[in-house]
Each structure stands twice: as structure tokens, then as C-alpha cells.
Amino acid sequence: MKLNGAQIFVESLKKEGVKVIFGLPGGVVLKIFDVLYDYKDPEVILTRHEQGAMHMAEGYAKATGKAGVVLVTSGPGMTNTVTGLADASMDSVPLVVFTGQVSTSLIGNDAFQEADNVGISRPCTKYNYLVKDVNDLAQTIKEAFYIATTGRPGPVLVDIPKDVSMNQTEFNYPEKVYIRGYNPTYEGHKWQIKQAAEAILKAKRPILYVGGGTVFSNAFEELREFAEMTQIPVDMTLMALGSFPGTHPLSLGMLGMHGSYTSNMAIHHSDLIIAVGSRFDDRVTGKVSEFAPHAKIIHIDIDPTSIQKIMNVDIPIVGDVKCVLKELNQHLRASLDGRRKEELKPWWNQLEEWKKKNPLTYKQNKDQKIKPPYLIDRLYELTHDQNPIVSTDVGQHQMWAAQFFKLDHPRTWLTSGGLGTMGFGFPAALGAQRAFPGRLVLSIVGDGSFQMNLQEMATAMDYHLPVKVAIVNNGYHGMVRQWQDLFYNSRYSSSFLGQHPDYVKLADAYGAVGLRATKPEEVDGVIKEALKIDKPVLIDFQVDPYENCYPMIPAGGANNEMIMEDPPELRKKEKDKAGMKKAGNGEKEGVLTA
Amino acid sequence: MEHIISVMVENKFGVLSRVAGLFSGRGFNIDSLSVGPTIDPTVSMMTLVTRGDDRIVEQIIKQLNKLIDVIKVIDLSEGAFVARETVLIKISAKGEDRAEALRITDIFRARVVDSTPATYTIEVTGDTNKIEAIINLLKPLGIKDLVRTGRIAIAREEIKTAVQDKPQDKKRFGT
């Protein structure tokens, strides 16, 4: 039987097992939306902005491991997806994004709502397609899902001209796909793995440096077995949080610019780094020439371009983290004995010393404003037994969440790492909530970030996505203000967010629930109340506007050169500022509670 | 160091922009790039001339391999290869210059492919040194226009020694 392009599109998605499409209609994709009108499955989640659809699909994909699917129109519909595409490229999120295109006869004529979708998206997708003939549509969709979800995952864009969605052809969905230029390596090189095992057995100060690749390859059990067997401490990147239990005695927490003191000291002084699905990002290495000066490096990654890009690697292993760790564990199981724990004792003694010297901590007095780390800690304490999914935006609150919200389970952490996209957190939480309707989904956001995609409040209400949004409201672009404090003489150029909405009223306007806490003693009560409400809840936590996030490695510094607290002269300025009119605490409160 | 890289790609629209975009997006050097079909109509061959230290060239090769439309990448500079370039040079040639132009053309085994009373168009094929040399010699006559193809290159077959040792001979002399 012949089907038109729009029907082929929907039937192909069904074959791929797609349950949800995040999107927004427009002229050239009306045929597709018209066909979707007759289907309950896949369901269309109508977002209020295409960027919202992208981050929802990312949240869905990160939480489930399946490809997130987006459908938008041509021109501005597509250009609004660009930030999401770049974000998904950097963080290896499997997405298949369908964009409408003007009819093939009009392409290149500057038609209404025309954009060069393939040209614009080329550098921020893993691959992209322009489907010029309806006969190629099914094959293209099959390939798109295959490319997005295999190897190092990433976003794939499929551009469908209007006439292609209308034209008819026989529908045959291909069973298999073969692309001769695309053959990801899964199994690691045996000899290299043997070399790695030998190096691991000899190391005196080894460290695991675990990245997001561990999450994508579902290697949690293998990683845990490896770490427990070898007693090697675990440093996690921002992307890896949850891939190894944060409360595990072997975990040193997050490393890098705002990582824990111990994790950074550990990697700096190590003699062997086992990099697992991580890519030596500049936020991790700091000054490359002084990064881990005594260490040999084993690097396991499915993407050959990640290896030897930043650091010289002694034992490169190209392959899937899960496959390689499995094989490595086999080697080690055979050759490890009880002595190993003894051998690593001096190293662990050193690590414990560092932990004691500078633990991750904060101070909160009753008469102070709410300290953001205290807030995160309370959120953690009051919710962790429910195994929540936690999303964040980008900035100070993100780093505090990474430090204090200890995640014990994989795929519970949704954050924008590589691109650092403000506005990511709230829609990502909605996507995850749609995937897991019964679960607690927390979205920890900054007041600056949240305002970048708050229009999706309407989507949350429409589809009953009862995400709990904790706004860490300090009235600033906090991380920008922190850098201005430390490196720009506290000149707060464009970091103070003067005019604020009343978030309680804002929630009310959307039909959601708004709550507010302004004092430390109110925090627990508000959180508990929010957890009881089966609706989206927006909580305005008015926190200390001058709190800075530490430890911090200044950009370009080495990992052992951490700043642990505000410099003394900054404290003084801050005190002076408290008395100032502009940007002062009192004024901000006045605006908010008036 | 200069590297000549041979890239076998799918013969599809958009492939050239993927390769060119990779170089511009990641800040790699590109001295020349030439593309053409092969005997297999689904495959095109690109020859890229690029420069960089070992780490950069390693990245270039890995990044090229990562492109889904790239089927095979060979760094020809790792072995013996033949590289050629063709250039078309239009020179002003009047009076005595015409004879001089022809002499130079002859010396370089180049060919005159077009001629008007005031110009010659000369076609030269060769390696970079030869092409630079003839351009330098023709410059004084007045080059009006010049077009180069960029280099194309192919690996040499492994050369077998003219007199081959038979395995049993080796054994005999070895003992």
C-alpha cells in the first residue's frame, strides 16, 4: 500500500519505538502534524518554544538512554533548535531532530520561512540529512536513529521538505542499516587492555577519572566492580555524576574547576590516571602543562578523536567503556590478590588526610540569609530516599548541586556540561518527568537561567508534569558576579538582575503552585510542602546574594592551586556593599515581596 | 610539516562542505584541496595538503575518519608517493617574448594550449618545484592570469628489488 511522506514518517517512528515527540507546528510540517492528529502513540508534547522542545528531548534522552525526538517547522523553527543541537553535540546526547523545509522546487529561492537547515546545523550535529525524495525517507529515518544512538551518541537532523511529506510511495522500513563510512569500535584492543591491567597493578597512586561516557554506555556495574576490586579512588566529571555512587567510600566526588579539594589533589598527585569515557575538558585539566605531572595515562574512549587531543596518552584504548571495563575486570580478577589493598594504603592515608583538611562544607547560621549549599543539602536530605532525577541550569547553583547533591544512581543527573546552556534545566526536567511520570523530578535552577525558558511552565501544566523547581534566587547572574568579584575588582557589570518577577505570582498565573522561603528555618517546611503537591511547583528560595562557590581553580590555574574561600579583602568590600543602596540586599527584597 | 592526505568520500552533495567545515571549524590549515570522481561512481577522492605538528595531523586524520561520509583516510606522507599539479598560465607574449616563452615552455616540457597575437596560454604539469620554477621564469614576460589545480597524489607501489633473493638462497648463505 502506498503511503504519503507524513504517514511514512509516523510509521517509521513507531517502528523505532518512539513514544513521545517534542515539538511545535508550522507551515511546512502541517501535513505531518495532521497525520499525527490521528495517533495517540507517539504522543506530541507541544512546547512553547523550539529550544524548550530540544532540552526536553535531551532530558528525556539522558534519563532513558533512548533517542529524544523533536519535530519543528522550517526557518525560525529550525534556527531555534540550534542551541539544543550544539548542547547535545557537546554532551553526546542522542537526539533525532526533524525539521520542515520548503518544497524542493523552492529551496534556494529565499522562500518564506526558508533557512539552510543542513548548512546551519552541520557543525553542531553528528550527521544531518536533507531528504529530497519520498522514496529515501524511511531509509533516512532508520539511518538517523542508528547514527544518533550508536558509537559516541549525538544529535542527527533530518530536514523534510513539504512536498516530500505529501508525495506517496510504498512503505518499506529497512530491517538493517549499513553505512560504510561509519563503524564505531566497541571492543578494545586486547594487547592494550593487557598493558593497562599491568599498569594498574603496578601503580602506587592510581585514580579513576570517570566521564559521561560511562553513563552512555551503561557501564555502572562494570565501573563499580573495577573500583571495588582495585580499591582505586573515583573522581567524577560533572557529566559522570551518578555513574558511580556519590556516597560510596571510594568516591571523591566531582573534580575540576569547582571539584572537591581531595579529588583535585588526588589527580594532581596521582601516578596513574585511568580516564574512562572522559575527554580532558579544560574545566577538568586547568592548565594542561601542569596537569597531573607525575601520571601515566590510560584513556578509554569510544571516540578516537578524544584520545591524544589534549593530553599525551600512554595507553590509549579505543572502545566502548562497558566492553573494555568488562575485559579489564577479567584480567584484574585473575591477577589481583589481597596484597593490593595493603599496597594502596599510603595513598588512601594521604587521601583521607586531604579529606580531613578541606572537606566540602558550608556555614549556615540562623540569623544569616539562606546559604545556597545549605539549601541544596536540605533538598538532598529530604528527597534522596526517593531517588529523584535532578536537573540543573548553568552557574553557581549547578556547581553547588554537583557538590552537595550526592547521586547514587545513573541517569538521575541532567545538566548542560560542555556547552553550558543556561535555560537547559527546567525543560530537561519536564522531558525526564514525561519519561517517568511517577518519579520525583527536581529542577535546581538559578533565577537568571530559569528566566531563559520559563515559558515552558505552560507545557508543564498542559501535560501534567509535576516538576519541583527550586529557584536559587540570588538576584544575580551569580557565577558572573563571582568572577567579577575575583578577577574584575567586584565591578558588577550587567550581572545584577534588577527587575524580578514575583515567582509565587508567576506560578499562580500559570495555574501552578508558588512557594517562597527567605530564612534558613523556612527551607525544610517549604520543601516538604512542595513534595506533597501533585502539580508543578515553583519555589523561590531567596538566598544570600554574595555567596561564592568554592573550591575554585581560577581559569588557567593548575589543579593543586585551588582558592578555598573569598579573599579577605573581598569580605570587606562585601560588608561595605551591604550598606549600599544599589544592588543591596534590602532593595532586592523590597522588590520581591512588595 | 607538510602532509598530503588522501580522503576517499561518498560521492554525495554536501560532503565537500563537511570536510571544509571541519578544517575551518577546528582551525586546521588547508593549503590545497582537490576533489574528483573515481572509477566507482559512488566514491570521490579528495587530496588535501595540510600542515601541522604530529599531534595536529593525528587529530586531522582522526577527525576526517570520524566524518560519516568519509570512507578511508590515508596520510600519503607516511610512505612514498607521487604528487602532481597542473597549472594554466596566460602570459603576454609579443615580439621577441614569444620565442622566449616557447623556449621556456620547451625546457619544462610544458605545452602551449592557446595562443593569440598578444598572449600564450601554457599548461604545465609537475611537482611543486617544477611549477614554482616555470612561474618564476615566466614572470618577467608578464603573467596575466594563472590557475592551479591544487595537488593530487597517489601512493607508490612498493618497489621490489631487481634481483630477488630466493628464500632457500638466504638459508644457504645464512648457515
Side-chain angles (χ1 to χ4, degrees), chain A residues 455-469:
Chain A
Q455 77 284 348
E456 302 306 334
M457 284 294 289
T459 312
M461 291 306 295
D462 266 355
Y463 297 92
H464 184 65
L465 302 169
V467 168
K468 307 293 175 275
V469 185

Side-chain angles (χ1 to χ4, degrees), chain A residues 275-592:
Chain A
V276 184
S278 47
R279 59 180 177 88
F280 296 90
D281 178 81
D282 56 84
R283 286 301 192 260
V284 162
T285 59
K287 194 174 188 178
V288 172
S289 59
E290 287 171 31
F291 177 72
H294 319 291
K296 254 185 129 170
I297 298 177
I298 299 169
H299 193 174
I300 306 166
D301 206 293
I302 198 160
D303 179 358
T305 66
S306 288
I307 296 175
Q308 205 80 8
K309 182 171 69 176
I310 312 283
M311 298 295 300
N312 263 325
V313 173
D314 301 279
I315 306 175
I317 304 174
V318 176
D320 175 51
V321 166
K322 192 185 179 89
C323 297
V324 174
L325 283 183
K326 223 179 229 172
E327 183 140 359
L328 201 48
N329 284 346
Q330 260 175 21
H331 274 280
L332 292 168
R333 222 176 287 134
S335 29
L336 270 170
D337 54 40
R339 279 176 304 176
R340 195 62 189 138
K341 203 166 180 178
E342 275 303 304
E343 283 168 11
L344 288 182
K345 203 147 195 197
W347 179 225
W348 271 104
N349 288 342
Q350 174 66 71
L351 294 170
E352 294 302 334
E353 209 172 284
W354 282 327
K355 275 191 201 171
K356 246 178 250 161
K357 189 180 169 199
N358 277 312
L360 269 181
T361 185
Y362 60 87
K363 284 184 196 129
Q364 174 76 68
N365 296 328
K366 259 193 170 177
D367 49 354
Q368 283 175 322
K369 303 219 89 198
I370 301 169
K371 297 287 184 185
Y374 168 75
L375 158 63
I376 307 286
D377 199 24
R378 292 318 298 160
L379 273 171
Y380 169 71
E381 288 298 335
L382 294 170
T383 62
H384 72 88
D385 56 335
Q386 295 184 49
N387 184 22
I389 294 173
V390 181
S391 85
T392 77
D393 265 311
V394 174
Q396 283 184 318
H397 71 277
Q398 177 191 34
M399 293 297 112
W400 278 312
Q403 290 174 341
F404 290 96
F405 209 109
K406 293 180 209 75
L407 296 158
D408 282 337
H409 302 279
R411 299 201 180 280
T412 54
W413 177 245
L414 319 173
T415 199
S416 167
L419 196 68
T421 309
M422 289 172 69
F424 169 90
F426 176 50
L430 297 178
Q433 185 80 78
R434 176 56 189 76
F436 298 103
R439 264 176 88 170
L440 173 60
V441 181
L442 294 174
S443 187
I444 301 172
V445 298
D447 50 327
S449 293
F450 178 68
Q451 291 186 78
M452 289 194 176
N453 266 322
L454 70 80
Q455 77 284 348
E456 302 306 334
M457 284 294 289
T459 312
M461 291 306 295
D462 266 355
Y463 297 92
H464 184 65
L465 302 169
V467 168
K468 307 293 175 275
V469 185
I471 305 177
V472 183
N473 180 1
N474 61 6
Y476 280 94
H477 285 300
M479 192 59 93
V480 172
R481 194 212 18 78
Q482 175 165 345
W483 281 55
Q484 287 170 337
D485 267 344
L486 296 173
F487 314 118
Y488 293 92
N489 217 6
S490 291
R491 287 156 51 83
Y492 300 152
S493 177
S494 297
S495 57
F496 176 58
L497 298 165
Q499 182 56 50
H500 257 276
D502 179 329
Y503 290 108
V504 175
K505 282 187 188 159
L506 181 76
D508 201 38
Y510 279 103
V513 178
L515 301 170
R516 175 172 295 132
T518 55
K519 296 184 194 116
E521 62 263 32
E522 293 168 357
V523 169
D524 277 26
V526 167
I527 294 170
K528 283 178 192 160
E529 194 183 338
L531 293 177
K532 280 185 222 150
I533 301 166
D534 187 27
K535 264 187 176 186
V537 182
L538 211 55
I539 320 173
D540 176 17
F541 289 103
Q542 295 185 4
V543 301
D544 184 343
Y546 292 115
E547 189 70 12
N548 285 337
C549 182
Y550 296 103
M552 179 180 186
I553 301 167
N559 278 14
N560 61 340
E561 298 167 346
M562 282 166 273
I563 309 174
M564 299 307 294
E565 57 184 9
D566 280 338
E569 67 275 11
L570 183 69
R571 284 266 155 254
K572 190 178 164 294
K573 274 179 203 157
E574 188 193 324
K575 275 174 202 153
D576 297 345
K577 283 236 163 54
M580 274 172 64
K581 254 191 174 178
K582 199 189 169 193
N585 250 352
E587 192 193 346
K588 194 181 93 215
E589 235 177 43
V591 171
L592 281 165

Side-chain angles (χ1 to χ4, degrees), chain B residues 17 22-23 32 42 70 99 101 103 107 114 152 172:
Chain B
S17 73
L22 170 68
F23 276 73
S32 78
T42 68
V70 168
R103 263 197 300 279
I107 291 167
D114 188 32
I152 54 166
R172 202 188 322 145

